[in-house]
Amino acid sequence: MQSAGNQAFTFRILGPLEVECAGRKVRLGGFRQQALLATLLLEAEHVVPIERLLEAIWEDTPPASAKGQVRICVSAIRRQFVGAGVGDLIETHPAGYRIRLPNTALDLARFAHLAALGRSAARDKQPEQAVDLFRSALAQWKGPVAAGLESRVLRQAATMLREEQLSVLEECVDLELQMGRHRKVVGELYRQVAENPYREQMCAQLMLALYRSGRQADALRQFRETRTLLSAELGIDPGESLRTLERAILAEDRSLEAPSRPAPAEPGRTAPVASLIRQPAHRAVKTSWTDHTLAMRTRLTSLQQANLRLQATLKL
């Protein structure tokens, strides 16, 4: 949360779009204003081209008056912010608009920062701290990105950021399994696998947690269900790492046993079973907010560019 004058304000995009000032929600306008604000927040501190805003609001069919309507929306948002005590945060540029926010004011920036710090702690062999940071990062999420706003631009962003959210969760659970917290994560993994049945890494984590909890039959049942799903819907078999884990569970391989006590371990080379499920490779992470959000914004931009190329191809 950040202060504007004597007023504290925060923006939320990881879930329903919300703005709060001094603990009170700022009333936002209709869909156009909300879609425009959400798009600016996804690329906070960067100028968002007017064409991008038109796509976020009208997709492929903007009216002739679209640019004028965008100016009206921006003016309305500015009035709402100033009236609520947030201040005038939106800048006008020749190419578009930019929203300027302190990093702590936006939940997306907090998520990226905390996740990066968690990865840094994991590399430094501080699993307890890493898990706390990962969990704090995940706690920023209150639902799908810009939940309730139907916009192609926002759906694309939601898909990419959901992938990042799940990757952070998998990294966190990897550490918790290494620390002997298998019983604690079983319920959460069941829910996540049900929502994301094609994520073999998450399925492997659930199988391992079940096995370490004395539920070998349930672990094997989970493998069979995943194998059946992949075969029926995609016509493929589970990957080699998942099949290797199944064989190890059938053989009651001692390398699958839980650690006797929680202990720090080197990321990527922790316990023998770590070789059976993917371990993320992490690059060095700086501690500045800007650096932590840059990689996420770059991935979002790449996804947007790929979509534009696909649209151009389909129009040929």
Side-chain angles (χ1 to χ4, degrees):
M1 190 171 291
Q2 193 65 31
S3 177
N6 294 323
Q7 304 284 351
F9 65 90
T10 187
F11 288 76
R12 298 190 182 93
I13 191 71
L14 301 180
L17 176 64
E18 293 182 350
V19 182
E20 285 190 6
C21 185
R24 301 181 63 180
K25 289 186 178 181
V26 176
R27 183 175 180 180
L28 302 174
F31 167 78
R32 293 176 186 175
Q33 290 183 32
Q34 292 187 43
L36 187 149
L37 177 58
T39 305
L40 291 177
L41 290 173
L42 286 168
E43 302 187 41
E45 303 300 318
H46 287 67
V47 175
V48 181
I50 186 70
E51 292 77 15
R52 187 74 178 155
L53 298 173
L54 298 183
E55 182 186 359
I57 299 173
W58 290 284
E59 297 190 351
D60 296 323
T61 57
S65 61
K67 292 184 179 180
Q69 292 188 46
V70 165
R71 288 193 292 271
I72 292 172
C73 286
V74 170
S75 296
I77 294 171
R78 284 171 169 158
R79 288 195 300 271
Q80 290 162 353
F81 284 0
V82 171
V86 176
D88 186 0
L89 304 175
I90 301 178
E91 299 176 349
T92 301
H93 292 262
Y97 297 90
R98 172 169 61 182
I99 190 166
R100 300 299 299 267
L101 295 176
N103 287 296
T104 55
L106 179 61
D107 57 0
L108 175 57
R110 294 194 297 272
F111 167 73
H113 182 65
L114 290 164
L117 291 179
R119 286 162 175 159
S120 181
R123 285 197 312 277
D124 292 340
K125 304 179 184 180
Q126 299 177 16
E128 292 273 1
Q129 182 181 1
V131 167
D132 287 345
L133 288 163
F134 282 144
R135 288 295 175 184
S136 294
L138 293 167
Q140 302 300 316
W141 287 77
K142 308 301 180 185
V145 169
L149 295 179
E150 289 300 320
S151 163
R152 181 172 62 205
V153 167
L154 299 178
R155 286 195 301 271
Q156 292 167 354
T159 298
M160 186 281 292
L161 291 172
R162 173 62 169 164
E163 179 68 25
E164 183 70 9
Q165 178 194 21
L166 292 175
S167 294
V168 169
L169 176 60
E170 288 173 345
E171 292 169 44
C172 182
V173 170
D174 274 347
L175 290 173
E176 290 176 306
L177 288 172
Q178 293 160 20
M179 296 163 64
R181 299 180 182 177
H182 41 275
R183 295 182 187 276
K184 180 180 178 181
V185 299
V186 165
E188 180 179 25
L189 286 172
Y190 260 128
R191 291 191 299 273
Q192 291 295 338
V193 168
E195 294 176 10
N196 308 279
Y198 301 130
R199 294 186 77 91
E200 294 189 28
Q201 162 74 355
M202 202 167 278
C203 177
Q205 291 175 329
L206 175 56
M207 290 169 59
L208 180 59
L210 288 168
Y211 180 78
R212 287 181 172 178
S213 300
R215 300 169 61 181
Q216 181 186 32
D218 287 335
L220 294 171
R221 181 182 300 111
Q222 182 60 49
F223 174 82
R224 290 194 297 270
E225 290 177 357
T226 299
R227 180 179 60 191
T228 300
L229 176 72
L230 293 176
S231 176
E233 298 196 8
L234 302 178
I236 61 174
D237 292 325
E240 178 59 30
S241 61
L242 203 61
R243 299 198 303 271
T244 300
L245 179 58
E246 184 221 15
R247 291 193 294 269
I249 290 174
L250 284 168
E252 300 184 14
D253 192 316
R254 292 183 61 85
S255 69
L256 301 185
E257 294 178 2
S260 56
R261 59 179 180 177
E266 181 181 351
R269 297 180 61 83
T270 48
V273 71
S275 63
L276 304 179
I277 54 179
R278 176 185 58 79
Q279 291 289 326
H282 305 311
R283 300 172 59 187
V285 181
K286 298 181 181 180
T287 57
S288 73
W289 288 84
T290 302
D291 290 332
H292 292 170
T293 55
L294 180 59
M296 185 176 297
R297 185 175 291 112
T298 299
R299 288 193 291 272
L300 176 58
T301 300
S302 297
L303 180 63
Q304 293 167 347
Q305 292 173 345
N307 181 71
L308 290 174
R309 290 193 297 270
L310 176 61
Q311 292 180 46
T313 300
L314 293 175
K315 291 178 179 178
L316 293 178

